[in-house]
Amino acid sequence: MSDERAERIADFIEPLRVRPGSKVHLERDFDPRYKAGVKKRNAVELLQTGVSLLAEYQERLAAQHTYGVVLCLQALDAGGKDGTIRHVMSGVNPQGVRVSSFKVPSSEELDHDYLWRYAQRLPARGEIAIFNRSHYEEVLVVRVHPENLVRQKLPEGSFGPGIWDRRYREINRWERYLTDNGFKVVKIFLNLSKEEQRTRFLKRIDLPEKNWKFSAADVRERRRWDDYQEAFSEMLSATSTRWAPWYVVPADRKWFARICAAAVLAHTLMEIDPQYPDVGEDARKDLLVTKRGLEREAPAGAVADPYTTLHPSAGHGHRKGRKGRGKKRG
């Protein structure tokens, strides 16, 4: 992939990135209806370009088998997390992607530290793990509903006003640990306006095929809108780091949110820049011996190796995907 395309993607998502160390006021700093001048009529083509790019880089990620990616998706109810995952990951190999949805913790999960259940779902090298909600629930929902801390069976003295700053530090250190070990962490917050959420809730009520998505509990949580906005703002301020940045994606227009999410993930993979492994000289000699044997088995009238006939460069070095190789960045 050309450096020019990588630069265009980086420029496109830069307004969405939360600068490390900055103080975020969500409603003031990020517009849920921002669309960067993109026209909806171009949305399908742009999304397909992003999906194709993800498919290429995911294949290289799996082949290299050195790095993994953790994508954290956070949003309020009706923010579009499920649809974003479905559309953005539509072209990738499902064997290389794992999606985990985190709901109310089980009794077993509550018997461990608050990061334990998320650590169980981390990717292997060569994989992409998507967290539909993530460890950030522990400084969002738990913060808005501090009664949940009681269920976490924390030792006496662990409570108090400093608990959230402590958890921010612990999460930052955990993500730095993962990054240092080859697991890139990227985080997307789907930023939905209060009015758009209201409209989407009504759609779930009015359309029979959407009824199953509606929950009265979601509407009850909506009453805590201001509390969640404050919790999101502090979370973004405290945990957007150089090694694990936050991107605030405008979510009022689903089509634009999906383009942005694809661009953020593609940018992450392009920073890793995974490469197809080189085959050693001995292995290459074995390949050529096997190739000659297969060519001799061609029936009368058949091309000995139809692949090299269609792709004349294929037999020269087996270096598919090496063009444009740049300095690897972790």
Side-chain angles (χ1 to χ4, degrees):
M1 193 55 57
S2 69
D3 291 340
E4 181 182 352
R5 177 168 289 190
E7 288 174 6
R8 286 204 306 269
I9 292 175
D11 289 342
F12 177 72
I13 65 173
E14 181 59 27
L16 315 178
R17 187 175 70 94
V18 177
R19 182 169 52 84
S22 63
K23 182 69 174 178
V24 175
H25 186 290
L26 190 57
E27 292 184 322
R28 178 195 65 206
D29 297 333
F30 293 96
D31 180 5
R33 296 194 62 76
Y34 170 77
K35 61 186 182 78
V38 177
K39 304 295 184 183
K40 187 175 182 179
R41 63 175 177 269
N42 300 323
V44 173
E45 180 181 354
L46 287 171
L47 180 59
Q48 188 55 51
T49 298
V51 169
S52 297
L53 194 58
L54 288 177
E56 175 195 341
Y57 272 83
Q58 183 218 12
E59 182 179 355
R60 287 162 55 172
L61 185 79
Q64 189 184 58
H65 204 70
T66 301
Y67 295 91
V69 175
V70 183
L71 173 62
C72 301
L73 270 179
Q74 290 290 153
L76 285 168
D77 299 308
K81 298 185 300 300
D82 293 343
T84 297
I85 295 170
R86 185 170 63 252
H87 285 81
V88 170
M89 308 307 292
S90 61
V92 302
N93 185 340
Q95 294 184 73
V97 179
R98 290 193 292 158
V99 180
S100 299
S101 297
F102 296 98
K103 302 185 184 299
V104 177
S106 67
S107 58
E108 180 188 11
E109 290 167 341
L110 290 169
D111 279 338
H112 294 82
D113 66 272
Y114 72 91
L115 290 175
W116 180 81
R117 66 172 178 157
Y118 307 102
Q120 308 307 301
R121 301 303 184 105
L122 289 171
R125 300 188 190 279
E127 290 184 342
I128 298 173
I130 301 176
F131 287 0
N132 185 345
R133 300 187 186 272
S134 69
H135 45 290
Y136 285 96
E137 293 292 284
E138 307 298 333
V139 293
L140 292 171
V141 174
V142 178
R143 179 169 183 163
V144 174
H145 296 280
E147 62 273 16
N148 288 323
L149 284 171
V150 177
R151 299 178 63 235
Q152 294 187 353
K153 308 173 185 177
L154 297 174
E156 186 176 352
S158 295
F159 297 91
I163 188 172
W164 309 119
D165 287 338
R166 188 180 78 233
R167 286 197 171 185
Y168 294 147
R169 290 194 302 270
E170 290 165 349
I171 288 171
N172 286 341
R173 289 167 182 165
W174 187 56
E175 291 175 350
R176 181 59 186 263
Y177 164 79
L178 293 174
T179 302
D180 287 347
N181 283 274
F183 296 91
K184 185 76 172 177
V185 181
V186 63
K187 302 172 298 198
I188 292 176
F189 171 61
L190 297 173
N191 187 27
L192 189 69
S193 71
K194 192 173 185 179
E195 173 56 19
E196 180 64 20
Q197 188 193 57
R198 185 184 75 89
T199 301
R200 292 184 187 181
F201 280 168
L202 286 171
K203 184 177 181 180
R204 291 180 177 185
I205 295 171
D206 292 340
L207 299 181
E209 66 272 21
K210 300 287 186 182
N211 289 168
W212 65 274
K213 285 188 170 185
F214 181 75
S215 169
D218 294 345
V219 177
R220 287 196 297 271
E221 287 299 282
R222 178 177 165 82
R223 297 170 190 161
R224 307 294 297 271
W225 180 272
D226 291 341
D227 294 331
Y228 274 106
Q229 293 298 300
E230 181 181 356
F232 280 126
S233 295
E234 293 204 16
M235 173 201 75
L236 294 168
S237 301
T239 61
S240 189
T241 59
R242 177 178 53 81
W243 56 88
W246 273 107
Y247 292 88
V248 179
V249 168
D252 277 15
R253 296 179 173 89
K254 291 181 179 180
W255 58 269
F256 185 68
R258 292 162 184 167
I259 292 171
C260 291
V264 168
L265 185 53
H267 173 73
T268 302
L269 290 169
M270 293 172 82
E271 278 197 319
I272 295 172
D273 193 23
Q275 303 295 327
Y276 292 110
D278 284 321
V279 177
E281 192 59 34
D282 289 342
R284 195 179 307 282
K285 290 177 181 177
D286 289 341
L287 288 174
L288 292 175
V289 170
T290 303
K291 173 183 168 69
R292 294 189 190 103
L294 291 170
E295 288 174 338
R296 286 193 295 270
E297 293 179 14
V303 177
D305 187 345
Y307 187 79
T308 52
T309 301
L310 294 172
H311 304 276
S313 63
H316 302 283
H318 300 279
R319 294 185 176 271
K320 179 184 177 185
R322 308 302 289 183
K323 183 180 180 182
R325 181 174 183 173
K327 182 180 179 183
K328 201 177 274 78
R329 292 172 287 177

